[in-house]
Amino acid sequence: QVQLEESGGGLVQPGASLRLSCAASGRTFSKDAIGWFRQAPGKEREFVAAISWNGRNTLYGHSVKARCTISRDNAKNTVYLQMSNLKPEDTAVYYCAADPVDGPWSDTIVLDTAGEYDYWGQGTQVTVSS
C-alpha cells in the first residue's frame, strides 16, 4: 500500500495564500491519479482538485473556482495544491488521495469522486480566520 502524507496547512488570514503538499512513501506516483478533498466539521467531504498521472489534465471543484492550482512532480513523488485568496469557508481538513490507474487512457484519467480513490492521507488542517 502507498503511504500519503499531507503538509503545509496552518492558520492564515483571509486573502492569504498557501501551498499544500502530498508526499508518497514507498511506491512512486507512476500511473496514479491524485485528488485533493476537504472536510469541514460536521460537513460532507468535498472534492477540491484532481490531476492525472502525466500531470497534463486537471479538474477543480466548483467551490474553489479559480483560486487553486494542482500540480505534481513525479520525480519527487509529490503533488501540490496552491491556494490563493483564502476565505473563512475554506477552513477544513484537506486530504490527498491516490488511485492506481491502468488501461489505454490511464495516463490522462482524472477522478472527482472520493469512492474511486484507494489510498488516503491523514489530512492537514487549514484554518482561515482573522
Side-chain angles (χ1 to χ4, degrees):
Q1 295 183 350
V2 62
Q3 304 292 322
L4 303 176
E5 182 178 6
E6 303 92 339
S7 62
L11 175 63
V12 297
Q13 297 186 25
S17 63
L18 79 168
R19 186 181 71 170
L20 307 183
S21 298
C22 175
S25 301
R27 65 171 292 177
T28 69
F29 278 149
S30 181
K31 295 295 184 180
D32 283 338
I34 303 295
W36 282 96
F37 295 79
R38 67 185 183 184
Q39 189 167 25
K43 304 294 181 62
E44 298 292 326
R45 187 163 296 188
E46 178 186 21
F47 170 73
V48 177
I51 189 168
S52 62
W53 171 75
N54 65 9
R56 299 175 183 174
N57 302 102
T58 58
L59 189 65
Y60 297 96
H62 178 73
S63 296
V64 299
K65 299 182 184 298
R67 297 186 296 112
C68 70
T69 300
I70 188 171
S71 61
R72 69 189 300 168
D73 185 344
N74 288 347
K76 297 181 178 180
N77 293 329
T78 302
V79 175
Y80 306 98
L81 182 68
Q82 178 71 43
M83 304 185 68
S84 63
N85 194 24
L86 288 164
K87 307 176 184 298
E89 51 264 42
D90 294 319
T91 296
V93 177
Y94 285 71
Y95 301 90
C96 67
D99 185 70
V101 292
D102 199 3
W105 303 99
S106 59
D107 57 342
T108 64
I109 291 173
V110 289
L111 303 170
D112 63 357
T113 303
E116 294 293 327
Y117 287 92
D118 293 333
Y119 305 104
W120 292 80
Q122 294 298 307
T124 184
Q125 177 71 49
V126 172
T127 302
V128 184
S129 177
S130 60

